[in-house]
Amino acid sequence: MAETLFSRIIRREIPAQIVHEDEHVVGFRDINPQAPTHVLFVPRQAIATLNDLVAADAELIGRLVLAATAYAKSQQLADDGYRLVMNCNRHGGQTVFHLHFHILPLKEGVDLRPHTGQMADHSILAAQALA
Ligand code: 5GP
């Protein structure tokens, strides 16, 4: 598969606000957030879409879900609730072809902003970067 900018974020070649890192999974803030805390959790291994998963990826997907849900709990998002969303392919709303979960926290009276499908302006990242 063609490499995406997420591989470059994982390798820290381009800046992002990284909120979680372990051997298998990286979490970072979405550059066009649909909610005040909109975070993406990605496997270090580049897998393009849900359609590309094979049985051998079961453990990795489990790790991805567990890392994302642990983050949601650590940020006190779990009680109010959130969506863990994975878009698949163009009509499914996927714009970056490196598998990822969106964590989209929901609060009463606060609507999610629309998923625009716009690619990010990387110059914005420089201002956001923590590392
Ligand atoms: P998808 O549309 O594939 O489900 O989600 C891709 C997400 O990646 C979008 O929500 C988009 O805002 C985010 N995104 C695109 N480019 C960048 C980037 O360079 N940095 C970060 N942090 N997020 C990005």
Side-chain angles (χ1 to χ4, degrees), residues 82-128:
Y82 57 92
R83 292 189 190 149
L84 197 56
V85 173
M86 197 179 277
N87 298 322
C88 182
N89 268 345
R90 189 161 65 99
H91 292 298
Q94 186 172 7
T95 57
V96 178
F97 289 83
H98 181 135
L99 201 77
H100 54 280
F101 275 117
H102 297 253
I103 299 181
L104 294 164
L106 294 162
K107 285 196 183 301
E108 196 171 328
V110 181
D111 289 333
L112 291 179
R113 291 190 282 280
H115 183 66
T116 61
Q118 299 294 310
M119 291 303 290
D121 175 353
H122 290 178
S123 65
I124 298 171
L125 277 170
Q128 286 191 347

Side-chain angles (χ1 to χ4, degrees), residues 46-79:
I47 299 169
T49 79
L50 280 171
N51 297 328
D52 300 302
L53 288 172
V54 295
D57 298 321
E59 186 177 332
L60 179 62
I61 294 306
R63 289 181 188 279
L64 191 59
V65 171
L66 288 172
T69 55
Y71 176 77
K73 288 177 200 163
S74 76
Q75 300 301 301
Q76 284 76 48
L77 306 176
D79 287 344

